[in-house]
Amino acid sequence: MCTGGCARCLGGTLIPLAFFGFLANILLFFPGGKVIDDNDHLSQEIWFFGGILGSGVLMIFPALVFLGLKNNDCCGCCGNQGCGKRFAMFTSTIFAVVGFLGAGYSFIISAISINKGPKCLMANSTWGYPFHDGDYLNDEASWDKCQEPLNVVPWNLTLFSILLVVGGIQMVLCAIQVVNGLLGTLCGDCQCCGCCGGDGPV
């Protein structure tokens, strides 16, 4: 596959992943599927907007750049048939790095939150974090330590796990585009073969 075609494929995959990350982060503001009365009762990591910013907004721009490569003119640079495409691939590499950092941010926030557990109303009638170092992950009976919001433990665990997986996949895809973009910058794109009257591949 040509480097431009590969980039477009990656961009098309990143768009739905960004949507899932954005949606998962939004749902975290409604623990147990219910509106909470006091925002201070939400887990701190939710306010870091890992899914909204990291896997969402910072991923949309790279994805659109990758998809936009199909409209790139192979020969739009001082008459050099490969210059335009090479520059576009180089630009996509920069955006891929931005996307990788955004996905990494979401991945780290999700991992920390899963290990920490959700903030909830405990048996002593105070709001806090009853779990430590992920001890609740293999002990479902301990989930009763959270009295409110109802089902907050599986809710947070499921959504942050989705963000963890989404962030991990996005990091891999952006890393692939970094390599793909560098190859496109150095070697050109096979779709530029013969464009503008050129006789051979770029």
Side-chain angles (χ1 to χ4, degrees), residues 110-159:
S110 300
I112 292 175
S113 183
I114 291 174
N115 183 66
K116 187 177 181 180
K119 188 176 186 179
C120 60
L121 180 65
M122 300 179 291
N124 59 3
S125 298
T126 61
W127 289 80
Y129 299 90
F131 309 115
H132 304 281
D133 299 324
D135 56 357
Y136 70 100
L137 295 174
N138 296 318
D139 184 11
E140 189 171 340
S142 67
W143 294 5
D144 292 336
K145 293 180 180 179
C146 278
Q147 299 181 348
E148 293 183 11
L150 188 64
N151 296 322
V152 66
V153 177
W155 184 268
N156 271 36
L157 180 59
T158 299
L159 293 174

